[in-house]
Amino acid sequence: MRRQAKETTCCPISRTPYFTRDDDRRSRYAKRLNNPLETPMNNSDLADKIAAEHGTSKADARKIVDAVFAAIADAAAGGSEIALNGFGKFKVKDSPAREGRNPATGETIKIAASKKLTFAPAKAVKEKLNG
């Protein structure tokens, strides 16, 4: 069986390809970033890496990753601060109610108070990022 050539969709102005039909979602995302070597790590990638480094199955590693994120989310929903030594802190911050404007009509509207989850990296992580 012979492989068919990839069909490419090009920008009508610059004639550069957007993406090919055979590309997956992650490679299209990398091309939008103009850096084809870096794609964002997701939960499955993290579980695969843990499984490979610790000799467990991918399914078990995925359960562990999901459990860690669920525990962080539950603690944050309860208003707790989550401190992971050597990694950083997750904090819940309150955003007070305020007035804003509807951009379409210019009408003043009330924006309700909300809670935001913030992350502050540890010193070791900052040093690793900045070399």
Side-chain angles (χ1 to χ4, degrees):
M1 186 181 285
R2 200 168 202 222
R3 287 182 82 178
Q4 293 180 351
K6 294 180 181 180
E7 290 182 27
T8 305
T9 306
C10 295
C11 173
I13 297 170
S14 65
R15 298 284 183 217
T16 57
Y18 290 132
F19 58 89
T20 58
R21 188 175 5 163
D22 294 341
D23 285 342
D24 62 348
R25 183 178 59 84
R26 290 182 58 199
S27 62
R28 286 196 305 257
Y29 182 79
K31 287 179 183 180
R32 276 189 281 144
L33 293 177
N34 293 328
N35 192 351
L37 300 178
E38 292 187 24
T39 58
M41 180 180 266
N42 59 26
N43 291 8
S44 296
D45 295 337
L46 185 59
D48 292 347
K49 186 168 181 160
I50 290 171
E53 289 180 2
H54 295 287
T56 62
S57 69
K58 290 182 181 182
D60 290 341
R62 179 62 190 242
K63 288 177 187 175
I64 292 169
V65 169
D66 291 342
V68 167
F69 290 134
I72 291 172
D74 290 343
S80 299
E81 179 179 295
I82 302 101
L84 304 172
N85 291 336
F87 186 69
K89 289 183 183 180
F90 292 95
K91 297 178 185 177
V92 178
K93 290 189 176 180
D94 291 324
S95 176
R98 59 191 170 91
E99 287 188 357
R101 292 204 176 268
N102 180 340
T105 62
E107 178 185 354
T108 302
I109 57 172
K110 286 192 172 191
I111 300 172
S114 63
K115 294 182 180 181
K116 309 226 182 304
L117 185 64
T118 62
F119 177 74
K123 184 179 178 184
V125 174
K126 287 181 189 177
E127 290 173 356
K128 198 170 196 175
L129 288 173
N130 296 320

